[in-house]
Amino acid sequence: MYSSLGENEAPADIDSERAFLSPLTTAFVAESMPGSADLAVTQSENNATPKDDWHGLSFLRFPASVQAISSSLSTWKWPSPLSSPGIQWPSSLPVTDLQERLSALLLELGLGPGSLYDKLVNAPPDPAIHPECEWDAEVRLGEDLCLAERAFLGERRRRMRASFARLMEVPESEVDERDLPIVAIAGSGGGYRAMLNTLGSLTAAKNLGVLDCVAYTAGVSGSCWALGILYSGVAGSNTPEAAAAHAKDRIQVSYLDMDTLDALVTPPTNSYLLSGILRKAAGPTGTASLVDLYGTLLSSRLYVPSNITTIDPQYLSLHFYRRSVDNGALPLPILSAVQHVTRQEKAEVTKDVADKKLPSVDVDRRRSLDHWHIQERLPHDVRWLWYEFTPYEVGCDEIGAWIPSWSLGRRFNNGKSAERKPELSFTVLAGIFGSAFCASLKHYFREIEPILKLLPVQLYGWLQEIVTENEGDLGLIHPVLPDQLPNFLKGLNGQLRYGSPPEITEQDTLGFMDAGAELNIPYYPFLRRNVDCIIALDASADSQDLWFTRAEELAAKRGLKTWPRGATWPCRVHPSEEGVAPVSHIPSFEAASPNAANAKLALTQESALAKQTDKQGATEQRDIPKATDNEKPSSESPSHLSACEIWIGSSKPTDEVSARLDDLDEAALLQRDGIAVVYIPLMPNESRVPGFDPFSISTWRREVSLAESQNLLDVAEANFSQSREKVVRLLRAVWMRKKMARRQREWEARLEHLRAQFKSHQ
């Protein structure tokens, strides 16, 4: 852990103007520079010392008088007229209005009596809003699903029975709850584009009767935002259609707009939005980060109702999402984040190696040979831990530790909460779920690689060499640090699952970031839930990469034999291309060999952010990485998947590779006992919205017009609707297979019972 900023570290001759830079600007600078791991300065309970200068977001940690804040603000020099790239300031906005808003905001953030901070942090929480403040929490150790989730599954099955009978067009009496397929919908990352794609797809799933037969929903990044809107009730109801309408209305305006500043200084939205970051920053170990600030700004658009008279603080409570889950009315949502874990001694050794390296590539290569064993071991010492966030629990399957969702944000010791405080606000979680900018430098390079390919081939090759040789070092560096939350594993030495990072029980905090850095479609949470079918909604910029190889690796790590496996995932390798030998038994859109697939997907698993920026234009080129000379894929004109592709795994050793649904007759389909993956990529739909490319909406867009939002929603609905026939055929087969398997078990049990009776009468 880097040392935090001290009170007297500013140069003595710094003028008041520089010392009182905008908190947004200084936060960005502080978070981006090495040595800024702790933005907030740790202090004891009794020595909160007033400060005359602020460092980054540490202004949330130190009291300042009204006079001091007003005096400092009076020294700020404002340009006239205001101008900033990408921010549309109202032409009639006087500078004095902006000054007044900022003054009001900073005064409310001051720790003085009567401030918003004082009311939120120092006043006792309302038990009607935060009943969790009267509860103590304990860490649950184990690998099983919690009791609440198991109870939910029972309720959901009871509700699904009638819906499934309607979908299958059979009498309800023919459907046994035990035979119902366990279906999950997984939404990818991809900013607002992914959010709208997920909401549009869920709307179609609801209208088609499919959603009522789904047990789980899961999201990464933008899809987490979509699920937050759906389950919070902020849209006025918990229907996908209402959630989509709310999102479409709210994202017309950027979160970097004057409306956001108004919301932060005006009741009731000011306390609603700022409670999360202020409570997180409070206390002796409180912290505030750019991720928290980003989540607060984002939430001002996504989680504020259009009619603010209906605002409810419980919209921002993950725990209260269970209002629509406990009774089985909706699938259980699973939101995702990851922790980047590096063994401390390995990180220090690797850093020492990097510090000693010389700029010359040739010398760098020679010196690296002396430390090759460190680089070889690094993948084993650097890993991603996947954390699940549900209305019931937050935890990590690989570690085997879970806490109630309402206790997230508390300090824990030896498995018990050390304090009672309000649940961590969803404003903070929204920032974590979408914090793709916390990716490592290695991820950033992979994301700008399509642009770098425009450089002379020699220069591009040289840069690629540098990244390859320093891959271990670059994978450790996060320009913007993951968000830090209190470590609920503290003190649990020797009690976690075998293979857990040994240092994790000694840390004060855990760092969380966008799960897309590890896997941009949330397959992982379903690997332990015995699902039969996963419907993957892929709106990520690298949607043709599919993330299948990484998912297969994770399934193999868990010993799951039923996951679709092999090299026949759709890698868009063209066997007919010159220099590539044709392979007759593999469809043209699939990989010609395992090496070809791995060559393409090796970089895919390292790509966490969208492969596009606003500067890259309206649409993107999705290039395929180089394979070997004999397996070189075409990047000129990649072939396209259909609107829906389905692959089914098998646990039988005779079934060496996974099968496509379209290649199986009904008898062969019934013999497949593996997990089915329904892949629905976001792609243009000329029949529904002619001439519209959904990828014209960049991952990094801060606002989307009504027309663009409606077009994307329409495309998503149409793509999902066109998948209905295949999905119904698949679910019918899974249902029949489970039904036959149950009857076989029952017949064998009766036969065994009769044999036992016969023996007893001999």
Side-chain angles (χ1 to χ4, degrees):
M1 185 70 71
Y2 290 105
S3 60
S4 55
L5 297 169
E7 292 187 24
N8 300 315
E9 288 183 11
D13 58 346
I14 192 169
D15 59 35
S16 57
E17 238 175 85
R18 291 182 61 198
F20 233 88
L21 287 171
S22 163
L24 284 172
T25 304
T26 52
F28 176 79
V29 174
E31 184 106 8
S32 301
M33 292 174 60
S36 63
D38 295 325
L39 281 178
V41 181
T42 302
Q43 63 186 37
S44 65
E45 294 277 6
N46 300 319
N47 74 344
T49 307
K51 290 178 64 68
D52 295 325
D53 61 323
W54 297 336
H55 296 277
L57 296 182
S58 64
F59 77 96
L60 294 174
R61 300 272 294 119
F62 294 93
S65 66
V66 173
Q67 293 80 4
I69 295 175
S70 299
S71 175
S72 297
L73 287 173
S74 67
T75 67
W76 290 14
K77 293 182 179 179
W78 295 82
S80 183
L82 289 173
S83 62
S84 180
I87 302 179
Q88 300 297 321
W89 299 105
S91 57
S92 61
L93 176 68
V95 172
T96 53
D97 287 354
L98 181 58
Q99 288 176 300
E100 288 176 2
R101 286 175 169 89
L102 285 175
S103 298
L105 175 61
L106 293 176
L107 287 171
E108 290 287 24
L109 297 181
L111 276 65
S115 66
L116 181 63
Y117 184 103
D118 182 51
K119 295 175 183 176
L120 290 173
V121 175
N122 297 329
D126 184 351
I129 299 174
H130 298 289
E132 69 273 12
C133 290
E134 299 180 353
W135 307 335
D136 292 316
E138 293 186 3
V139 178
R140 181 180 72 86
L141 299 175
E143 306 172 30
D144 296 334
L145 300 179
C146 66
L147 289 174
E149 182 171 338
R150 282 180 272 172
F152 153 78
L153 281 174
E155 290 295 330
R156 185 65 178 167
R157 280 194 179 99
R158 277 187 278 278
R159 286 203 177 226
M160 289 195 303
R161 184 184 176 202
S163 301
F164 189 81
R166 286 193 295 271
L167 187 66
M168 296 295 108
E169 299 180 341
V170 299
E172 187 176 341
S173 59
E174 291 188 16
V175 178
D176 190 301
E177 292 176 14
R178 295 170 293 178
D179 305 330
L180 290 173
I182 301 300
V183 183
I185 293 180
S188 77
Y192 281 169
R193 181 182 64 247
M195 178 183 74
L196 292 170
N197 180 65
T198 295
L199 290 174
S201 299
L202 290 177
T203 299
K206 177 66 176 177
N207 294 337
L208 296 172
V210 175
L211 185 61
D212 292 331
C213 302
V214 171
Y216 293 104
T217 55
V220 166
S221 193
S223 290
C224 287
W225 302 340
L227 296 179
I229 296 173
L230 175 62
Y231 286 86
S232 65
V234 68
S237 77
N238 296 112
T239 66
E241 187 174 10
H246 171 85
K248 182 176 67 172
D249 175 61
R250 296 295 296 171
I251 63 175
Q252 296 179 79
V253 177
S254 167
Y255 52 79
L256 295 180
D257 188 88
M258 290 303 300
D259 285 357
T260 299
L261 196 51
D262 284 336
L264 295 177
V265 300
T266 308
T269 51
N270 59 345
S271 60
Y272 175 80
L273 292 169
L274 291 170
S275 60
I277 190 171
L278 292 181
R279 285 177 172 140
K280 185 172 180 289
T285 59
T287 60
S289 73
L290 272 183
V291 176
D292 303 326
L293 184 60
Y294 169 63
T296 301
L297 298 176
L298 183 71
S299 297
S300 71
R301 302 310 311 165
L302 299 185
Y303 303 113
V304 173
S306 298
N307 180 6
I308 62 172
T309 61
T310 64
I311 205 166
D312 183 349
Q314 292 182 346
Y315 291 157
L316 300 177
S317 166
L318 176 62
H319 169 64
F320 275 97
Y321 287 8
R322 62 187 298 171
R323 288 176 295 191
S324 302
V325 173
D326 282 349
N327 60 1
L330 287 176
L332 178 69
I334 307 172
L335 312 180
S336 308
V338 293
Q339 180 191 6
H340 195 186
V341 177
T342 306
R343 289 180 58 183
Q344 185 65 30
E345 65 271 20
K346 294 297 179 184
E348 292 173 355
V349 170
T350 305
K351 183 177 183 300
D352 289 341
V353 172
D355 291 342
K356 295 175 182 177
K357 289 180 179 177
L358 300 177
S360 166
V361 174
D362 292 334
V363 176
D364 180 42
R365 185 180 294 111
R366 289 198 301 268
R367 293 179 64 86
S368 295
L369 290 175
D370 296 333
H371 306 278
W372 69 271
H373 59 284
I374 295 174
Q375 301 296 341
E376 289 294 315
R377 281 298 311 275
L378 193 61
H380 303 285
D381 297 306
V382 179
R383 52 192 289 207
W384 301 90
L385 296 177
W386 192 286
Y387 285 78
E388 303 173 7
F389 298 72
T390 78
Y392 300 129
E393 286 189 320
V394 174
C396 176
D397 171 54
E398 289 189 71
I399 291 175
W402 316 85
I403 58 172
S405 57
W406 47 262
S407 67
L408 184 63
R410 296 185 183 187
R411 290 180 291 114
F412 279 74
N413 194 27
N414 297 322
K416 296 185 178 181
S417 59
E419 57 187 341
R420 291 180 174 181
K421 60 187 298 186
E423 175 187 351
L424 188 70
S425 173
F426 202 83
T427 58
V428 175
L429 293 179
I432 292 174
F433 297 144
S435 59
F437 48 79
C438 290
S440 66
L441 287 181
K442 183 169 68 173
H443 290 90
Y444 281 115
F445 177 83
R446 298 306 183 201
E447 293 308 318
I448 65 172
E449 199 167 15
I451 300 176
L452 296 179
K453 288 181 179 179
L454 301 176
L455 299 173
V457 63
Q458 297 88 347
L459 177 56
Y460 168 72
W462 178 65
L463 293 174
Q464 194 174 41
E465 255 190 359
I466 293 176
V467 171
T468 301
E469 292 170 354
N470 296 273
E471 188 172 9
D473 302 340
L474 298 178
L476 296 173
I477 301 172
H478 295 270
V480 179
L481 294 174
D483 203 32
Q484 303 296 311
L485 298 181
N487 182 9
F488 62 87
L489 306 171
K490 178 105 173 175
L492 293 176
N493 309 61
Q495 300 182 56
L496 304 180
R497 284 188 65 178
Y498 176 77
S500 298
E503 300 89 351
I504 203 167
T505 59
E506 302 170 5
Q507 302 166 357
D508 292 326
T509 60
L510 301 175
F512 295 97
M513 62 178 287
D514 189 328
E518 162 72 341
L519 187 63
N520 209 30
I521 300 177
Y523 297 121
Y524 187 81
F526 303 132
L527 300 183
R528 72 186 192 96
R529 286 183 163 84
N530 296 322
V531 299
D532 299 300
C533 172
I534 300 173
I535 302 176
L537 311 173
D538 193 357
S540 54
D542 47 3
S543 61
Q544 294 189 7
D545 291 331
L546 302 183
W547 301 91
F548 288 147
T549 290
R550 184 62 185 138
E552 185 177 341
E553 291 173 0
L554 294 172
K557 184 178 178 181
R558 291 187 56 87
L560 189 64
K561 298 180 180 180
T562 54
W563 182 263
R565 65 189 186 277
T568 55
W569 290 107
C571 297
R572 249 79 57 215
V573 176
H574 300 272
S576 59
E577 189 183 356
E578 182 180 356
V580 180
V583 182
S584 59
H585 65 281
I586 296 179
S588 60
F589 61 82
E590 298 179 347
S593 75
N595 290 336
N598 291 337
K600 174 177 170 19
L601 293 170
L603 293 181
T604 300
Q605 67 187 59
E606 299 297 336
S607 175
L609 310 177
K611 290 182 179 176
Q612 60 180 19
T613 63
D614 294 330
K615 295 182 180 180
Q616 286 178 256
T619 60
E620 314 176 45
Q621 296 296 323
R622 305 182 180 95
D623 295 333
I624 300 179
K626 296 178 181 178
T628 64
D629 291 339
N630 294 328
E631 299 165 341
K632 186 176 180 181
S634 168
S635 59
E636 298 278 330
S637 56
S639 60
H640 295 289
L641 289 171
S642 67
C644 175
E645 294 287 349
I646 300 177
W647 294 268
I648 308 170
S650 175
S651 64
K652 301 172 185 177
T654 54
D655 297 326
E656 295 182 357
V657 296
S658 304
R660 293 176 67 233
L661 178 73
D662 294 343
D663 298 332
L664 299 175
D665 59 24
E666 297 307 314
L669 183 57
L670 289 173
Q671 294 301 313
R672 286 271 167 173
D673 63 348
I675 296 173
V677 175
V678 180
Y679 181 73
I680 306 178
L682 177 61
M683 57 200 321
N685 193 303
E686 289 295 322
S687 62
R688 181 68 177 269
V689 188
F692 174 69
D693 180 5
F695 282 87
S696 63
I697 300 176
S698 162
T699 301
W700 309 109
R701 286 278 291 274
R702 296 188 298 266
E703 73 286 318
V704 183
S705 70
L706 277 175
E708 289 175 313
S709 292
Q710 190 59 57
N711 283 342
L712 207 156
L713 289 168
D714 288 345
V715 166
E717 287 186 43
N719 288 346
F720 194 98
S721 297
Q722 291 174 7
S723 307
R724 182 185 185 279
E725 183 178 348
K726 286 186 177 182
V727 171
V728 170
R729 181 188 173 212
L730 171 68
L731 296 184
R732 186 186 306 277
V734 174
W735 169 51
M736 293 299 296
R737 185 191 74 209
K738 295 182 73 172
K739 185 176 183 178
M740 289 188 296
R742 175 180 58 81
R743 288 180 172 176
Q744 177 70 19
R745 291 193 303 270
E746 291 175 346
W747 181 83
E748 290 175 353
R750 286 196 297 269
L751 183 60
E752 186 63 29
H753 178 70
L754 289 174
R755 286 172 178 169
Q757 285 186 324
F758 179 75
K759 288 182 179 180
S760 66
H761 288 86
Q762 283 182 339

